[in-house]
Amino acid sequence: MTAHLFPRSFAGKLFLVILACLGACSAGLALVAWNDLNRETNRATERAAMDHLDIVLAGLNERYEEFMRFTLETVAKRRGQLSADAALAVVTMESFRELADSGALAEEAARRSCLGRIQTIPAYSELYVVDAATLQALAAPPGAGHPVLAGLTDLRGNLAFESLRQETRKSDGAFSVILWDENDETKRYLTYTRFFAPWGWLAVARHSIDDIETAETARKDRLAGEMSQMTARLRQHLPHQVFILAGDGSEVVAPPADVPPIRELTDESGTPLTWKLLREIQPGEPATLRWREPSGRTVEALVFSVAFKPLDWRVYYTVETAALRAAGLATATKQAFIVMAFLGTFALLLYWVLARSTQPLRAMAEASAELPRARFRLPKGMRRELAGASTGSDEISTLARAFLEMHERLQGYLDALDSANREKEAYARRLEMLNSDLDQTVRDRTAELDSALEKARRMTSAAQAANRAKSEFLANMSHEIRTPLSAIIGLADLSRRSRDLGKIEANLEMITTCASSLLGIIGEVLDLSRVEAGELRLERKTFETRRTILGMLAPHAAALHERGLTFEQDVPEDLPPWLQGDSLRLGQVVDNLLGNAAKFTRQGEIAFSVRVAAPSADGRVELLFRVSDTGPGVPPGMEESIFESFRQGDSSYSKAYQGVGLGLAICRELTHLMEGRVWVDARPGGGSVFSFTARFELAAPPGAACADTSVQQHDAACLKVLLAEDNASNRHVFGEFLSSLGHRVVQVEDGQQAQEALARGGFDLALLDVQMPRVDGVEVVRRLRAGQFGESARRMPVIALTAYAMTGDRERFLDAGMSDYLAKPVSLDALDAAIARACGGAPSPQALLAQAATALRPLMGEALAYLRERAAQARVAVGEGRMAEAAQAAHDIKGVFMTLGIPDLPERTASLETACRKGDAQTAATRIGQLLNLLLRMEAQAAPKTQLASTRSTPQDEPAGR
């Protein structure tokens, strides 16, 4: 192995010998420098230690002066406060003595008042008033009682107040430190005493000196902290420790946190290091100490110290000898580095000489390193250099020729490998393109799935919201439908059990009201369903603007007046006189908004106004309607949601206002169909203003009516009517209706029986239920029109009776061959009007006239005069638009008929009263004309032939269907 390490060439051997000689010389020089360096390091350490100790002493002196100045200022301040409090007590004594001398107070009273006043003085210190003779405390701080102060001593053990009693007689006052026994504990108090000669009292002000000592301790701690910071800054860049010990061995400034406390250190013999530092180390003289740390490590250090006599402190500066050796070693290392640098320079020079002789080898090494970087292609310069080196006959030339041949073979292999790599890269690019397409496809599919998932979430949320709305709607509908049904059932049961006609009439009126309410709820639901299904179509009819609008307001005015509410109407004269549109749906919107205002307004007023909002040049006009009230207003944040279906401002069980929440939703949809919109300006707590717009076409006045409906004559006849109804209750009601109108009725239960009755013939009119067992009404009328029941029956009027009331039902039944259509529930007036329309004449009054003749004979003159007068007044009021007065006249006429016991005539006048209250002037005028004609016939047929009193009909004689 030695043969391999020892160089074989001459140049290598020479290089090794020279390096060995230089190393030996460097080692000798380093040993001499090491000894000199140790001595210089010790001297520098001693100078640095004394400089640092001088800096610490200077800092201590400066801060100690501040400490003493603060202590003296604190003592002086306390003395001034004590003397001021004692002087204030003496002044108080003098004031009360003057009151005693002047006679304002008795001597004893003046003394008691003075003691009380002194106890309330807001003094800094604690005040005592002491009898100088007995040394008994006459006044003391709260809780101190009246102790005897004769036994208190000062710091020297003398009786304090014995000497103070003598001193204060000769001077204004005296300070002293007295030991007071309080709560089994002796405390020191700085005391100032003044003598008040007239009464022989001592004014004593005391204050604890513990706070002065606390302040001194805090200042000492602060001084120690500042010195700790100073020593920490001093040792930031030097390997030494600085700490301060008090005369009792306690640490004032401790060593750093990484050094054990001094009190835990001992020398090798077990003696505490604190004792050796205070006893063996003299200030100003360095010494070497060895101690053992709790971890077991033995430390040897140089120790320097100085004394700070005012506080009996000693400042120590320690440097571990190991640190000094480390510093010397560092210096020696630097010197060794210089020597090594010299040797390195020489080695480089020697290396250059040897490198020149190994040039061909270096060229091959560089070529070998360059081949991988240059794709195994040699640069031309290297090739020429190697070719020149290969021309010789030595070993290096032979190696160079072999290197060139190897490169030629390797280059051929690499060209083939490059070709294979290019093909591989082409396949890799194609694979990357396919992966990219696949990634894009996956991202697109993922996006589609995310979109579908989000859509599903939205649909789920919408379904949940719809489910909640449905639940609320069903709950509201159940409540709103069951409430009037319960009233109807209860009132019907009460009427069946009662024999009091007045109570029965009142019950029937309430049943009619509840049924109308129930019908209104069903109508709202049907209207909304038509709108949402897109099946509601507006009619285009010409109507008189102001008259129609005032007719809409008339029933509301009467109802609001009865409730004591003010109803302001602003329908200006400058509105377009005639418009074309759906006045029925417009009235529905106005009724809903006024109904809402009436429902939510308990007091105050409701105002209605209409204005032309936006006239246009295409023959159309936009009207702006406003309905304001003084109700509770719309809750904040619900200005939009109240127009949604089934939504109310308050949907709780304790809500004050009932309803299903469809009215405003219908208003929104209807105004949308009328090319307008509806909105609310909410004023929570101060009412609401609902506004909506609607567009109409301007129209010309229609032609004059063909005849005066008020005096139109109809051919009255008693008809034979076929009634086909599968429901027994409805069949009974319709049968009684027809009988009360004076017609003969044949009742059947289903469509098959209806066909059999029609085949027998002899009927003037047929009322067919659309939905019946076996054969429905539509099929029956189809066969009737086809002539299966005879040619004479083919043209017989047929009225459809059905619960189908959706849009298009009427047209469907009329197209099937029905003459007219009545949607259940059907009133007596509606049935009478439908028969009149279908048969071309007015309802037959023969039965009514017979009953009237009998009833009116005793009172014919007065009754007919009163009825004609009120009917004429009603006609004039309707013509002038005073619908409330017309309604009152109709109500009076109905009362006369009911008083006379005529069972059917009140129904006639009730329809007149209803039309007046609704503001339907046209219907009211028609009803008044029919009433006047009826009164003329009654007067002609009820001429008095005898003076027999008529017998009033009893409830048992009345038709069951009234």
Side-chain angles (χ1 to χ4, degrees):
M1 183 174 179
T2 305
H4 290 292
L5 293 176
F6 196 80
R8 296 181 179 181
S9 65
F10 176 78
K13 294 176 181 179
L14 181 60
F15 180 76
L16 185 60
V17 170
I18 295 172
L19 286 181
C21 293
L22 290 175
C25 294
S26 298
L29 293 173
L31 183 59
V32 174
W34 173 257
N35 293 329
D36 293 339
L37 181 61
N38 284 335
R39 288 192 296 271
E40 185 61 26
T41 300
N42 291 335
R43 288 193 294 269
T45 301
E46 184 175 355
R47 288 194 300 271
M50 297 312 295
D51 291 341
H52 283 75
L53 291 176
D54 290 340
I55 293 172
V56 173
L57 281 178
L60 277 173
N61 286 323
E62 179 181 357
R63 289 160 177 77
Y64 181 74
E65 290 177 1
E66 294 178 2
F67 167 75
M68 291 304 298
R69 184 166 55 252
F70 173 80
T71 302
L72 293 175
E73 289 174 357
T74 302
V75 173
K77 181 178 179 181
R78 299 291 186 274
R79 290 166 65 93
Q81 291 169 340
L82 291 173
S83 62
D85 292 342
L88 182 60
V90 171
V91 169
T92 304
M93 296 176 189
E94 290 176 352
S95 299
F96 280 93
R97 178 180 172 277
E98 291 175 1
L99 293 175
D101 292 342
S102 64
L105 290 174
E107 181 75 11
E108 189 63 22
R111 293 191 180 196
R112 288 197 303 270
S113 300
C114 178
L115 293 175
R117 177 64 59 84
I118 290 174
Q119 288 181 328
T120 61
I121 291 176
Y124 168 79
S125 59
E126 297 176 353
L127 284 174
Y128 286 82
V129 178
V130 182
D131 189 342
T134 62
L135 295 182
Q136 173 73 35
L138 302 177
H146 298 281
V148 177
L149 308 182
L152 300 181
T153 61
D154 58 12
L155 295 177
R156 293 187 295 273
N158 300 325
L159 294 176
F161 281 93
E162 291 292 338
S163 59
L164 286 174
R165 183 167 49 184
Q166 302 300 325
E167 286 184 37
T168 54
R169 293 177 185 273
K170 302 175 183 178
S171 61
D172 290 339
F175 287 95
S176 63
V177 177
I178 301 177
L179 302 178
W180 296 65
D181 294 328
E182 294 180 355
N183 300 325
D184 299 331
E185 187 177 351
T186 301
K187 296 184 179 179
R188 295 177 298 171
Y189 284 87
L190 179 62
T191 307
Y192 181 76
T193 306
R194 287 191 62 175
F195 179 70
F196 184 66
W199 287 350
W201 286 2
L202 294 176
V204 181
R206 72 171 191 174
H207 191 278
S208 174
I209 65 174
D210 291 339
D211 62 337
I212 299 176
E213 294 181 350
T214 301
E216 289 180 357
T217 303
R219 295 292 294 179
K220 285 183 180 180
D221 293 340
R222 180 179 175 184
L223 175 61
E226 292 176 353
M227 296 311 300
S228 177
Q229 295 176 2
M230 176 185 291
T231 57
R233 290 194 298 270
L234 290 176
R235 59 175 173 251
Q236 281 182 353
H237 305 293
L238 295 174
H240 65 265
Q241 310 297 335
V242 179
F243 55 92
I244 301 176
L245 297 179
D248 58 357
S250 61
E251 296 178 4
V252 178
V253 176
D258 56 344
V259 177
I262 301 299
R263 63 179 177 275
E264 298 179 6
L265 303 179
T266 60
D267 62 1
E268 295 177 346
S269 62
T271 304
L273 183 63
T274 303
W275 187 88
K276 294 182 69 67
L277 289 172
L278 294 175
R279 300 293 186 273
E280 297 183 4
I281 305 300
Q282 299 300 321
E285 297 180 2
T288 301
L289 289 180
R290 293 171 62 87
W291 63 80
R292 184 182 296 108
E293 293 182 351
S295 61
R297 186 174 75 96
T298 301
V299 179
E300 180 181 290
L302 290 175
V303 182
F304 304 86
S305 68
V306 293
F308 184 71
K309 295 182 179 180
L311 294 177
D312 192 20
W313 286 1
R314 288 194 183 184
V315 184
Y316 293 91
Y317 180 100
T318 64
V319 180
E320 293 185 13
T321 55
L324 294 178
R325 294 190 190 98
L329 182 60
T331 304
T333 302
K334 293 179 181 178
Q335 294 177 354
F337 177 80
I338 294 172
V339 173
M340 294 302 295
F342 172 77
L343 291 176
T345 303
F346 179 80
L348 289 175
L349 181 60
L350 184 61
Y351 173 77
W352 180 80
V353 173
L354 294 176
R356 294 289 296 177
S357 61
T358 57
Q359 182 71 19
L361 294 177
R362 185 170 59 83
M364 284 188 288
E366 291 177 356
S368 300
E370 185 67 22
L371 284 177
R373 292 194 296 269
R375 301 290 297 167
F376 293 93
R377 298 182 183 276
L378 285 177
K380 294 182 180 180
M382 288 187 178
R383 179 177 286 277
R384 285 196 299 269
E385 187 175 357
L386 288 174
S390 63
T391 56
S393 57
D394 55 0
E395 296 83 357
I396 294 177
S397 299
T398 303
L399 182 60
R401 286 194 295 272
F403 183 85
L404 290 175
E405 292 176 1
M406 180 188 64
H407 174 261
E408 292 295 338
R409 293 180 181 177
L410 183 60
Q411 190 62 50
Y413 297 148
L414 290 177
D415 290 339
L417 182 61
D418 288 341
S419 177
N421 286 336
R422 284 193 295 272
E423 293 179 0
K424 179 182 178 181
E425 290 175 358
Y427 286 119
R429 284 194 297 273
R430 183 178 178 184
L431 180 60
E432 183 178 0
M433 185 181 301
L434 293 175
N435 288 335
S436 177
D437 293 342
L438 179 60
D439 290 342
Q440 184 61 39
T441 302
V442 171
R443 285 193 295 271
D444 293 343
R445 183 56 179 165
T446 302
E448 292 176 0
L449 292 176
D450 291 342
S451 177
L453 182 59
E454 182 62 26
K455 183 177 180 181
R457 290 196 188 100
R458 289 196 300 269
M459 293 177 66
T460 301
S461 178
Q464 293 173 350
N467 189 40
R468 289 193 297 272
K470 182 188 71 175
S471 299
E472 293 180 4
F473 167 68
L474 291 177
N476 287 337
M477 286 297 296
S478 175
H479 174 269
E480 296 298 329
I481 291 176
R482 287 175 180 271
T483 299
L485 280 178
S486 175
I488 290 171
I489 294 172
L491 291 168
D493 187 51
L494 289 175
S495 299
R496 183 173 58 82
R497 297 172 185 271
S498 176
R499 292 297 180 267
D500 187 343
L501 291 179
K503 290 184 179 180
I504 292 175
E505 180 187 355
N507 291 343
L508 293 177
E509 287 287 344
M510 286 187 284
I511 288 175
T512 303
T513 302
C514 293
S516 300
S517 173
L518 184 60
L519 184 60
I521 294 173
I522 297 174
E524 286 185 350
V525 175
L526 294 178
D527 285 341
L528 184 63
S529 65
R530 291 175 194 149
V531 172
E532 292 183 345
E535 297 177 356
L536 184 62
R537 299 292 183 268
L538 298 181
E539 296 182 351
R540 297 179 70 253
K541 294 182 179 181
T542 301
F543 61 91
E544 188 176 355
T545 308
R546 292 191 74 253
R547 180 179 177 184
T548 302
I549 294 175
L550 290 174
M552 299 173 186
L553 303 181
H556 295 282
L560 295 176
H561 178 72
E562 291 178 2
R563 290 178 54 191
L565 297 175
T566 302
F567 185 33
E568 299 291 340
Q569 304 177 33
D570 184 9
V571 184
E573 297 284 348
D574 59 352
L575 292 176
W578 294 89
L579 296 175
Q580 189 176 65
D582 195 333
S583 60
L584 178 63
R585 296 304 177 185
L586 174 62
Q588 187 174 356
V589 176
V590 173
D591 286 344
N592 277 340
L593 295 183
L594 287 174
N596 265 1
K599 179 170 69 174
F600 288 98
T601 304
R602 299 184 182 275
Q603 61 183 1
E605 67 175 11
I606 296 175
F608 173 87
S609 65
V610 58
R611 291 287 185 275
V612 176
S616 59
D618 58 352
R620 295 165 63 83
V621 66
E622 182 178 72
L623 298 184
L624 171 63
F625 299 82
R626 291 187 185 276
V627 176
S628 62
D629 61 66
T630 57
V634 179
M638 298 194 67
E639 292 83 354
E640 295 294 334
S641 61
I642 59 173
F643 292 101
E644 298 176 4
S645 301
F646 321 125
R647 293 298 298 270
Q648 294 176 296
D650 182 7
S651 59
S652 64
Y653 290 124
S654 60
K655 60 186 179 181
Y657 308 101
Q658 303 300 321
V660 295
L662 296 178
L664 292 179
I666 294 173
C667 290
R668 181 191 62 186
E669 300 297 337
L670 290 179
T671 54
H672 179 71
L673 289 175
M674 290 185 286
E675 302 181 31
R677 65 186 185 95
V678 62
W679 68 95
V680 61
D681 298 321
R683 297 173 296 181
S688 304
V689 179
F690 283 85
S691 306
F692 74 93
T693 59
R695 287 182 176 271
F696 302 94
E697 296 182 5
L698 298 174
C706 297
D708 187 357
T709 58
S710 63
V711 296
Q712 185 177 1
Q713 301 292 327
H714 297 281
D715 183 18
C718 178
L719 305 177
K720 183 178 181 181
V721 182
L722 173 64
L723 172 62
E725 167 65 55
D726 61 324
N727 184 277
S729 298
N730 286 339
R731 192 166 59 250
H732 173 74
V733 171
F734 292 144
E736 292 299 325
F737 277 179
L738 292 170
S739 297
S740 67
L741 293 175
H743 305 301
R744 291 178 295 126
V745 186
V746 175
Q747 301 182 13
V748 296
E749 297 180 0
D750 55 36
Q752 183 63 36
Q753 293 180 7
Q755 293 184 113
E756 295 172 356
L758 288 172
R760 291 192 296 269
F763 293 100
D764 302 313
L765 174 68
L767 272 69
L768 301 181
D769 187 12
V770 172
Q771 183 174 340
M772 291 186 295
R774 297 200 287 180
V775 181
D776 59 53
V778 175
E779 180 62 23
V780 172
V781 78
R782 186 186 66 78
R783 296 177 182 179
L784 177 69
R785 299 308 182 202
Q788 293 186 13
F789 309 118
E791 195 63 30
S792 60
R794 184 174 185 179
R795 292 184 298 275
M796 181 178 63
V798 179
I799 299 176
L801 299 174
T802 180
Y804 292 102
M806 301 296 290
T807 300
D809 290 340
R810 177 184 179 86
E811 291 76 9
R812 181 161 58 90
F813 298 144
L814 295 179
D815 292 341
M818 301 289 186
S819 303
D820 207 340
Y821 161 92
L822 287 176
K824 297 177 183 177
V826 179
S827 65
L828 179 61
D829 292 337
L831 180 60
D832 191 10
I835 293 175
R837 290 194 301 269
C839 298
S844 300
Q846 284 81 358
L848 303 180
L849 293 176
Q851 295 175 8
T854 303
L856 289 178
R857 282 193 186 101
L859 303 172
M860 177 59 70
E862 295 179 4
L864 286 179
Y866 177 80
L867 292 175
R868 284 198 305 273
E869 179 183 358
R870 293 302 286 160
Q873 292 174 355
R875 186 171 188 177
V876 172
V878 170
E880 294 177 357
R882 294 181 282 109
M883 304 302 291
E885 296 181 13
Q888 184 61 43
H891 184 76
D892 294 341
I893 295 171
K894 181 180 69 172
V896 171
F897 285 142
M898 293 180 66
T899 302
L900 294 175
I902 303 175
D904 297 294
L905 286 179
E907 296 289 338
R908 304 284 184 150
T909 53
S911 64
L912 170 59
E913 182 182 356
T914 302
C916 292
R917 294 196 180 279
K918 289 185 177 180
D920 190 351
Q922 184 176 357
T923 302
T926 301
R927 294 299 183 196
I928 292 174
Q930 294 174 355
L931 180 61
L932 288 172
N933 291 335
L934 186 59
L935 290 174
L936 291 174
R937 295 185 184 184
M938 291 170 62
E939 185 176 2
Q941 295 184 16
K945 296 179 181 180
T946 64
Q947 297 300 323
L948 296 177
S950 63
T951 303
R952 187 174 181 179
S953 59
T954 62
Q956 286 79 4
D957 299 329
E958 297 178 5
R962 181 169 61 91

